[in-house]
Amino acid sequence: MILSTRGRYGLKAMFELGLHYGKGPIPLKIIAERQCIPENYLEQLIAILRKAGLVKSVRGAQGGYLMLRPPDQVTVAQVLLALEGPLAPAECVADPEAPRCRLADECVTRSVWEKIRVSIHDVIDAMTLQHMIEEQLHLHAPTSKHPKE
Amino acid sequence: MILSTRGRYGLKAMFELGLHYGKGPIPLKIIAERQCIPENYLEQLIAILRKAGLVKSVRGAQGGYLMLRPPDQVTVAQVLLALEGPLAPAECVADPEAPRCRLADECVTRSVWEKIRVSIHDVIDAMTLQHMIEEQLHLHAPTSKHPKE
DNA sequence: AGTAATGTTGACAAATTTAGTCGGGTATTC
DNA sequence: GAATACCCGACTAAATTTGTCAACATTACT
């Protein structure tokens, strides 16, 4: 069970946008290059993110995309939900409206899926793009450089 | 991101086998009927489980399948691993041998995938078929009936 | 005004995976 | 030897994934 490239590319793109938050729009081309994503494909993905209200676009020259909200208000869950649909191992726990299976009043495997779903959500609901950005800074600018001097 | 029917059917089948543990083989037909799985398809799935060493078969009349080990020694993780491959959101954390992405020495999204992987495994490694069986008994034979009298 | 840069949209399609089906085998019991 | 059951490999329809492409719309800059 592996996420599709949609979710993987999409989160990378959002992360890139997060790094650039507050500094004006970034063109798709740059995002695609930096994160090794086929530009034409990313076009489709970012359209999904736009419709989901996570990014907005600025058309024309010097245009590009930017995040609507600050990175600490965007969770990994929101991004993945938009691109992959509900992150759950089975439909019966992904959608509260989904029909229960009719094997018995309650199906035991369902409770397994539910536990998995909850544990995934514990992680992705808690993790924001800001957390990712901080981790990036921590990893790539360790104690060796002085930020201001 | 939803498991395929392989994993879902497979776990149901193993659960059924677990319920019957110690009582001789069950034919595929019965498992398929009880759990609403196309019999021909289940044939394929159980072949995978057999090759993975989780069940064994008894050929001929009165034959069928049985679990090799007691239900408390079979985890949900083992079953799903056999049928779905590693349960992880991305290849780079599914397989320790998988190539790291070459974006940077360390990729931040990777650490997100790793956290998800770990949280899934916390659940599925801890959950055995025995746990499922106990839950089933608890659900379907509550306080209203007397087990022995 | 014109042009280059950029997002927008919709159509297309190859490759892969999923979810089975089917038919003819083989082993075992009665 | 007949009935029961597993065993195996081939086949396939449908869906999904992972893109590509072309034409168009909008804006900044000169």
Side-chain angles (χ1 to χ4, degrees), chain A residues 107-136:
Chain A
C107 158
V108 181
T109 52
R110 182 177 188 276
S111 88
V112 176
W113 309 141
E114 175 65 8
K115 288 192 180 77
I116 295 175
R117 190 192 66 81
V118 167
S119 87
I120 293 175
H121 265 272
D122 282 350
V123 173
I124 64 178
D125 285 335
M127 165 107 32
T128 67
L129 294 184
Q130 182 65 38
H131 292 136
M132 294 177 64
I133 291 166
E134 277 158 18
E135 188 165 352
Q136 167 87 349

Side-chain angles (χ1 to χ4, degrees), chain A residues 1 16 19 25 27 29 36 40 42-44 49 65 78-79 82 104-105 112 117 119 123 129-132 138 144:
Chain A
M1 183 176 74
E16 198 65 38
L19 280 177
K29 195 178 181 179
C36 296
N40 286 327
L42 186 54
E43 225 169 59
Q44 280 181 40
L49 294 171
Y65 291 92
Q78 289 164 354
V79 177
D105 351 18
V112 176
R117 190 192 66 81
S119 87
V123 173
L129 294 184
Q130 182 65 38
H131 292 136
M132 294 177 64
H138 191 261
S144 61

